[in-house]
């Protein structure tokens, strides 16, 4: 809906939106859709022009698919039925599945389609809008029910509630006071390949457990392009770059010129990190919400974005700070009881993976129940936390490994 239809704010001539969402990635688009489909006036701000590239493998696992808006058509580039696992280029073994494990998308198309869905639900999009800060007190704020979103050019946008979905270097996250527990560096290359090479990779991905603790690499096929990337703990920049170069060379892809090379920091929240401040919520990367072991973030962005949009509507309707605070606490509880539990198990898995990558490799390639668990997680049949909770053998094994690692 256009800003002309938004309420005028008291003596201020600027319109007051019900919900302003900052950042038009999967988290922001999901939040904007959830708020707009509830019939609220929603403004979605994005600093870039769409579509825009993001450093991301583009894997759409079951939880991501299940969190998409009704009627959303995934722009899949490939459907994965096989996974090859290796340890720094050695001990390669491929596991296959009759049913699709997960799908692969190009992020520019996927993100733009999500935004279009939010717009169809009634959200208004503004691109080229860089947010410098948000204010909940001061001269820019007409009353206690309003938040001022200040753009880089000095323009002030007013809202009853704000959702920060502006990525891992979030300005809104800084306002909320998000605290980070784990920071990793991902490097990626988009490599166009001839048809004969593309055919070899069709329907199959590669996951390579890397040479640095907690690191791994991936190859995701997308038609005539392979997305090749690696990730490891920040502070290992030189080693991470060498890992990517060696990885590409081992795969026989060094002779092909990448169409794009990029880097990105992923950030996981600490357990006690806030998810709100006043009438401002954060979700997705801006909140540090992603799976600590695999650093998978799309499903976390979609799920937390939807929750943030739903609770932002309730905050927008709150007439005082006490009720707004109650709704924000409800949002935090919803995040922590779902995604937070999954992240806690992911942290334990990362610790195990850092110390004993060979054990995980042997289990997933040689122990059929472990492969079935992997397949069920990627399809969305269950979660990592669900596996540990419902399977006594898995829970006892992880507990025993925890004790061995601690000892």
């Amino acid at each position: 809906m256009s800003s002309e239809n938004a309420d005028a704010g008291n003596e201020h001539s600027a319109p007051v939106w019900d919900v302003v969402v900052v950042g038009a990635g999967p988290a922001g688009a999901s939040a904007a859709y959830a708020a707009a489909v509830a019939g609220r006036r929603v403004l979605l701000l994005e600093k870039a022009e769409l579509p825009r590239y993001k450093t991301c493998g583009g894997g759409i696992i079951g939880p991501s698919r299940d969190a998409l808006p009704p009627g959303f058509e995934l722009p899949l580039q490939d459907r994965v039925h096989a996974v090859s696992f290796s340890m720094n280029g050695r001990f390669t073994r491929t596991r296959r599945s009759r049913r699709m494990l997960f799908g692969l998308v190009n992020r520019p198309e996927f993100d733009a389609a999500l935004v279009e869905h939010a717009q169809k639900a009634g959200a208004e999009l503004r691109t080229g809008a860089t947010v410098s800060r948000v204010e909940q007190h001061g001269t820019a704020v007409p009353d206690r029910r309003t938040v001022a979103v200040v753009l880089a050019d000095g323009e002030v946008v007013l809202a009853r509630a704000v959702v920060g979905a502006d990525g891992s270097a979030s300005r809104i996250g800084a306002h909320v006071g998000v605290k980070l527990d784990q920071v990793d560096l991902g490097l990626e290359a988009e490599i166009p390949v001839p048809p004969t090479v593309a055919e070899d990779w069709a329907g199959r991905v590669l996951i390579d457990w890397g040479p640095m603790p907690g690191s791994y690499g991936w190859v995701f096929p997308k038609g005539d392009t392979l997305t090749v990337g690696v990730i490891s703990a920040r502070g290992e920049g030189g080693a991470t770059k060498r890992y990517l170069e060696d990885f590409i060379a081992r795969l026989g892809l060094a002779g092909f010129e990448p169409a794009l090379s990029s880097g990105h920091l992923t950030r996981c929240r600490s357990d006690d990190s806030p998810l709100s401040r006043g009438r401002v919520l954060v979700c997705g990367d801006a909140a540090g919400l992603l799976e600590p072991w695999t650093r998978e973030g799309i499903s976390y962005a979609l799920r937390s974005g939807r929750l943030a949009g739903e609770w932002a509507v309730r905050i927008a309707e709150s007439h005082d700070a006490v009720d707004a605070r109650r709704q924000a606490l409800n949002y935090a509880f919803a995040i922590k009881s779902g995604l937070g539990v999954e992240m806690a198990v992911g942290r334990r898995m990362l610790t195990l993976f850092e110390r004993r990558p060979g054990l995980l490799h042997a289990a997933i390639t040689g122990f059929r129940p472990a492969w079935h668990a992997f397949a069920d997680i990627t399809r969305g049949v269950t979660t990592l936390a669900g596996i540990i909770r419902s399977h006594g053998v898995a829970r006892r094994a992880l507990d025993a490994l925890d004790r061995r690692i601690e000892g």
Side-chain angles (χ1 to χ4, degrees):
M1 293 181 185
S2 68
S3 58
E4 287 79 13
N5 293 329
D7 291 339
N10 297 347
E11 72 278 7
H12 288 65
S13 59
V16 180
W17 297 87
D18 290 323
V19 178
V20 168
V21 181
V22 182
S30 293
Y33 174 85
V37 84
R40 298 304 180 269
R41 296 180 300 275
V42 180
L43 178 63
L44 179 57
L45 300 175
E46 167 59 43
K47 65 181 179 181
E49 297 299 327
L50 298 177
R52 48 94 177 96
Y53 181 78
K54 296 286 285 187
T55 305
C56 175
I60 303 296
I61 59 175
S64 298
R65 186 193 61 243
D66 295 342
L68 292 167
F72 184 87
E73 291 289 331
L74 272 168
L76 292 180
Q77 299 296 312
D78 205 344
R79 292 168 169 78
V80 176
H81 287 82
V83 183
S84 296
F85 298 95
S86 61
M87 284 198 62
N88 202 21
R90 299 180 300 158
F91 312 116
T92 303
R93 183 163 183 189
T94 300
R95 305 301 303 251
R96 300 184 184 277
S97 171
R98 289 188 184 90
R99 289 182 293 155
M100 186 178 87
L101 295 166
F102 57 96
L104 300 173
V105 298
N106 288 323
R107 278 292 301 274
E109 294 172 27
F110 177 65
D111 290 15
L114 283 171
V115 168
E116 186 178 331
H117 228 71
Q119 289 177 286
K120 286 178 181 175
E124 180 170 319
L125 171 69
R126 276 185 61 184
T127 57
T130 300
V131 172
S132 62
R133 66 186 186 279
V134 293
E135 295 180 5
Q136 301 195 63
H137 308 282
T139 56
V141 183
D143 57 60
R144 292 183 179 181
R145 286 190 61 209
T146 308
V147 182
V149 180
V150 184
L151 306 186
D153 62 4
E155 181 187 349
V156 175
V157 177
L158 301 178
R160 299 293 184 213
V162 171
V163 175
D166 48 336
S168 60
S170 170
R171 290 182 182 272
I172 313 301
H175 172 79
V176 167
V178 172
K179 293 188 284 186
L180 303 167
D181 199 31
Q182 171 189 330
V183 183
D184 297 288
L185 170 65
L187 300 177
E188 196 168 75
E190 301 285 349
I191 305 177
V193 293
T196 51
V197 176
E199 285 167 17
D200 289 340
W201 286 98
R204 177 176 66 94
V205 302
L206 169 65
I207 296 174
D208 178 73
W209 314 120
M212 297 90 75
S215 67
Y216 75 96
W218 61 89
V219 180
F220 285 179
K222 298 169 186 175
D224 59 0
T225 298
L226 300 178
T227 298
V228 183
V230 300
I231 195 164
S232 68
R234 184 177 66 170
E236 299 277 357
T240 306
K241 189 169 184 291
R242 285 192 298 277
Y243 176 30
L244 179 61
E245 291 169 351
D246 292 346
F247 187 42
I248 289 172
R250 278 202 308 266
L251 294 166
L253 301 173
F256 304 115
E257 185 68 28
L260 201 69
S261 296
S262 62
H264 179 66
L265 290 176
T266 65
R267 297 172 168 92
C268 282
R269 69 187 294 272
S270 57
D271 278 336
D272 61 344
S273 179
L275 290 159
S276 68
R277 178 180 172 186
R279 290 175 173 267
V280 179
L281 305 177
V282 285
C283 60
D285 285 345
L289 291 167
L290 70 157
E291 204 285 303
W293 175 30
T294 63
R295 290 80 152 188
E296 191 278 319
I298 294 177
S299 75
Y300 281 69
L302 292 169
R303 289 182 284 173
S304 65
R306 184 183 63 197
L307 290 171
E310 291 169 354
W311 258 277
V313 167
R314 296 180 175 97
I315 289 172
E317 294 169 348
S318 300
H319 288 283
D320 57 52
V322 174
D323 191 36
R325 175 65 177 159
R326 185 184 303 118
Q327 301 303 339
L329 287 172
N330 287 338
Y331 167 67
F333 178 77
I335 292 292
K336 291 174 183 177
S337 62
L339 298 179
V341 171
E342 292 180 32
M343 289 182 72
V345 176
R347 286 190 186 95
R348 292 175 70 190
M349 290 299 297
L350 176 63
T351 300
L352 169 61
F353 174 55
E354 288 173 339
R355 308 284 180 86
R356 303 289 298 275
L359 190 64
L360 274 172
H361 181 71
I364 207 165
T365 59
F367 185 50
R368 192 174 294 274
W371 163 249
H372 287 160
F374 174 90
D376 284 347
I377 290 167
T378 60
R379 289 195 190 103
V381 175
T382 186
T383 63
L384 194 54
I387 293 276
I388 301 302
R389 189 168 51 244
S390 61
H391 290 70
V393 173
R395 185 171 60 254
R396 288 192 294 274
L398 190 55
D399 288 344
L401 287 164
D402 282 347
R403 288 193 294 273
R404 287 177 64 181
I405 288 168
E406 289 166 4

